[in-house]
Amino acid sequence: SQTIHQWPATLVQPVGSPLSLECTVEGTSNPNLYWYRQAAGRGLQLLFYSVGIGQISSEVPQNLSASRPQDRQFILSSKKLLLSDSGFYLCAWSVGTRASYEQYFGPGTRLTVT
Amino acid sequence: ELKVEQNPLFLSMQEGKNYTIYCNYSTTSDRLYWYRQDPGKSLESLFVLLSNGAVKQEGRLMASLDTKARLSTLHITAAVHDLSATYFCAVDIKNYGGSQGNLIFGKGTKLSVKP
């Protein structure tokens, strides 16, 4: 069966510090991978998605970046965090079929920028 | 502009009552998903609706899709406290020119079921 991991689970970082969040998927090959952010009490905002190694599409211009160094690894980074980067970061995966691209979500990383 | 609108955004209901959450979207799509999120937790997939007229039921929840009206509903029957959570609908925008499997989420409906 497929599983998705995210770490760390929680993170408190000062403004201006760097960030690296990691997401890995097990039990599937060539998944589509996604990074979402959810601000407190808000909906989900798609940040990045990837359909393959080294292929990253950005949905929202910001000070974040993403990379996919391996088939089942997706990394979210920042060189300098802003207060507005605080939120709940969710990684998701899907396997594209003609019928459905249902997405499955990881446990999330709660980031607080102080 | 592609929009996915849920209403209500907040719903407080008593146990045993019935209610419906609505999800309207502004583009053609024949794929719609419902997710549940418990406080502080990730999203859990509830229903996958893949065609016009699709109806799925699980316990006290039933979801339906009308692609002509661009509307999905999530009906709650005889609510119980365990259903308290935030419910999101998400529209697959592949037909909108998006890439594989991009979903646009509604803002969520926070449901509170009280005794």
Side-chain angles (χ1 to χ4, degrees):
Chain A
S1 64
Q2 301 88 357
T3 55
I4 179 169
H5 304 280
Q6 287 186 247
W7 64 88
T10 59
L11 191 59
V12 180
Q13 292 282 99
V15 169
S17 64
L19 173 74
S20 181
L21 303 181
E22 190 165 342
C23 169
T24 58
V25 180
E26 296 177 355
T28 187
S29 296
N30 196 31
N32 303 313
L33 296 173
Y34 310 84
W35 277 112
Y36 290 89
R37 177 170 61 199
Q38 185 178 34
R42 306 286 295 276
L44 275 75
Q45 179 186 35
L46 178 64
L47 301 175
F48 301 94
Y49 66 90
S50 172
V51 299
I53 295 174
Q55 300 179 62
I56 308 295
S57 296
S58 174
E59 290 294 302
V60 181
Q62 58 216 324
N63 68 321
L64 300 173
S65 62
S67 62
R68 185 170 176 174
Q70 300 181 45
D71 181 44
R72 290 169 285 182
Q73 184 185 31
F74 206 21
I75 297 172
L76 182 69
S77 304
S78 174
K79 292 182 179 179
K80 288 185 178 182
L81 284 168
L82 306 173
L83 283 174
S84 58
D85 291 325
S86 292
F88 192 39
Y89 287 80
L90 290 161
C91 180
W93 69 274
S94 72
V95 177
T97 69
R98 292 179 65 184
S100 169
Y101 289 91
E102 183 180 8
Q103 292 183 17
Y104 303 90
F105 287 81
T109 294
R110 191 163 302 281
L111 171 66
T112 303
V113 181
T114 59
Chain B
E1 180 188 355
L2 174 61
K3 291 183 180 179
V4 179
E5 296 182 339
Q6 286 183 239
N7 70 83
L9 297 181
F10 298 93
L11 176 57
S12 180
M13 57 190 299
Q14 286 188 311
E15 283 190 330
K17 299 293 186 181
N18 305 331
Y19 208 82
T20 300
I21 298 171
Y22 297 88
C23 175
N24 292 89
Y25 53 97
S26 62
T27 186
T28 55
S29 177
D30 57 4
R31 298 178 180 85
L32 189 139
Y33 308 85
W34 284 95
Y35 289 87
R36 168 180 171 148
Q37 184 179 37
D38 292 303
K41 303 293 185 181
S42 186
L43 274 72
E44 172 191 355
S45 179
L46 289 176
F47 298 109
V48 178
L49 303 170
L50 299 178
S51 62
N52 185 40
V55 178
K56 296 282 185 72
Q57 183 164 4
E58 180 73 32
R60 301 174 187 273
L61 300 178
M62 183 174 70
S64 65
L65 178 61
D66 182 343
T67 58
K68 294 180 181 178
R70 300 179 185 177
L71 170 69
S72 180
T73 61
L74 181 65
H75 186 72
I76 303 156
T77 301
V80 293
H81 179 69
D82 285 351
L83 290 179
S84 297
T86 299
Y87 293 86
F88 292 93
C89 64
V91 175
D92 188 327
I93 64 168
K94 185 172 185 296
N95 292 339
Y96 189 65
S99 184
Q100 290 143 311
N102 283 8
L103 302 185
I104 302 298
F105 283 79
K107 291 184 178 180
T109 296
K110 187 173 183 179
L111 171 65
S112 177
V113 181
K114 302 183 185 301

